[in-house]
Amino acid sequence: MDNQKPVFLFDEKKHVYTLDGKKLTGVTTILGTIAKPALIAWAAKEAVKYVRENATKDDDLFLVTEEILRAAEKAHAKKRDKAADAGTDVHAECEAWIKTKVIPLAPSPSFLQFKEWAEGNVGEFLESEKRLYHEGEWYAGTVDLVYKDPDGRVWVADIKTTSGIYDRTPFFQMAGYQNAIEYMGEFTEPIHGRKIIRMGKDGSFETKNSLSYEDDLGGFLAALQLYRALQTFKV
């Protein structure tokens, strides 16, 4: 009984990972400790945009109500949530195609971009939406893709539907996944690198690679250490 494998579960409704009934910290939660200054400016622009589009204009004056101001405060959150829903749909399309090779009846442009890229750059899909955990560091997450390229090299990949790639955080994220993959011991072949596959809603497409696992993992573990330290603070 001592060698019994721990029970790893994911509650989709609550979006909570547990190991033997105890809650694990999510990879994205850990990386939330990294500041994203661009998001602050974006949120401010969304608030101003909402006011301009909804206030009554009198010459160069904008007449606003308290209701409009309250809505402007939440404008960025609504847009963020809408984008997140769209990203979830694209991930679902890609996962279904990887696992069944069935093309959606009304495929999104982003899915078609992904499919075209995959047909020229993937030799074999090894995993899609694979849930992972690391008991020693006590965290968990879901990796978008693990695949072999046509030369047989293994990559950990992340699908993004954002308008750009603004910092190195996605590579830290994938290094956290790779660390969990290695901990779980489910792949015997070495992982060559980490890749971001980005499909923007404006039709843009790009991929970016990182081959520096030591640096990427260092960034992730630093964020994990900071997250744990912040959790010890009580007001």
Side-chain angles (χ1 to χ4, degrees):
M1 292 295 291
D2 290 341
N3 295 324
Q4 186 175 358
K5 192 173 181 179
V7 179
F8 177 47
L9 298 173
F10 177 64
D11 186 322
E12 296 221 23
K13 189 174 290 186
K14 296 180 180 178
H15 202 85
V16 169
Y17 301 89
T18 59
L19 194 65
D20 285 341
K22 297 178 182 178
K23 184 178 177 180
L24 293 152
T25 309
V27 167
T28 53
T29 298
I30 292 164
L31 294 173
T33 59
I34 298 177
K36 297 175 178 62
L39 290 181
I40 298 174
W42 171 77
K45 288 179 181 178
E46 288 300 316
V48 172
K49 180 182 176 183
Y50 185 90
V51 170
R52 283 189 175 134
E53 292 176 349
N54 293 275
T56 302
K57 188 174 182 182
D58 184 6
D59 293 328
D60 290 330
L61 298 176
F62 288 90
L63 307 177
V64 300
T65 63
E66 183 64 28
E67 182 180 4
I68 287 175
L69 291 176
R70 286 198 299 268
E73 287 180 328
K74 301 175 182 178
H76 73 286
K78 286 188 175 182
K79 188 165 184 179
R80 177 201 62 206
D81 293 345
K82 184 177 180 181
D85 289 342
T88 299
D89 291 343
V90 172
H91 277 75
E93 286 181 299
C94 294
E95 180 186 10
W97 177 71
I98 289 168
K99 292 180 176 178
T100 68
K101 294 305 176 187
V102 175
I103 298 173
L105 292 176
S108 68
S110 292
F111 164 77
L112 293 175
Q113 286 181 314
F114 172 80
K115 179 176 176 291
E116 181 180 0
W117 169 83
E119 289 174 340
N121 293 275
V122 176
E124 178 187 0
F125 288 109
L126 300 176
E127 293 288 355
S128 174
E129 299 297 323
K130 172 72 172 178
R131 290 176 188 135
L132 307 160
Y133 71 91
H134 192 298
E135 188 172 9
E137 300 292 355
W138 203 254
Y139 71 83
T142 302
V143 65
D144 288 348
L145 293 174
V146 182
Y147 74 93
K148 284 186 180 180
D149 66 21
D151 294 323
R153 298 173 301 189
V154 179
W155 294 83
V156 174
D158 197 55
I159 296 171
K160 297 295 185 188
T161 55
T162 54
S163 58
I165 301 169
Y166 303 105
D167 59 29
R168 196 169 178 171
T169 305
F171 292 118
F172 296 166
Q173 178 183 0
M174 285 182 280
Y177 296 147
Q178 182 172 337
N179 192 40
I181 288 169
E182 293 173 352
Y183 169 81
M184 294 176 72
E186 296 190 8
F187 296 100
T188 58
E189 297 178 71
I191 294 173
H192 180 70
R194 288 145 305 286
K195 184 183 294 288
I196 301 170
I197 307 161
R198 188 189 71 81
M199 299 93 74
K201 65 180 183 180
D202 60 354
S204 57
F205 181 91
E206 64 178 321
T207 63
K208 286 192 176 181
N209 303 336
S210 175
L211 301 180
S212 180
Y213 179 51
E214 183 178 348
D215 289 341
D216 292 339
L217 182 60
F220 174 76
L221 293 177
L224 175 59
Q225 183 178 12
L226 177 58
Y227 175 83
R228 299 292 186 218
L230 290 171
Q231 297 309 299
T232 66
F233 179 77
K234 304 294 182 183
V235 178

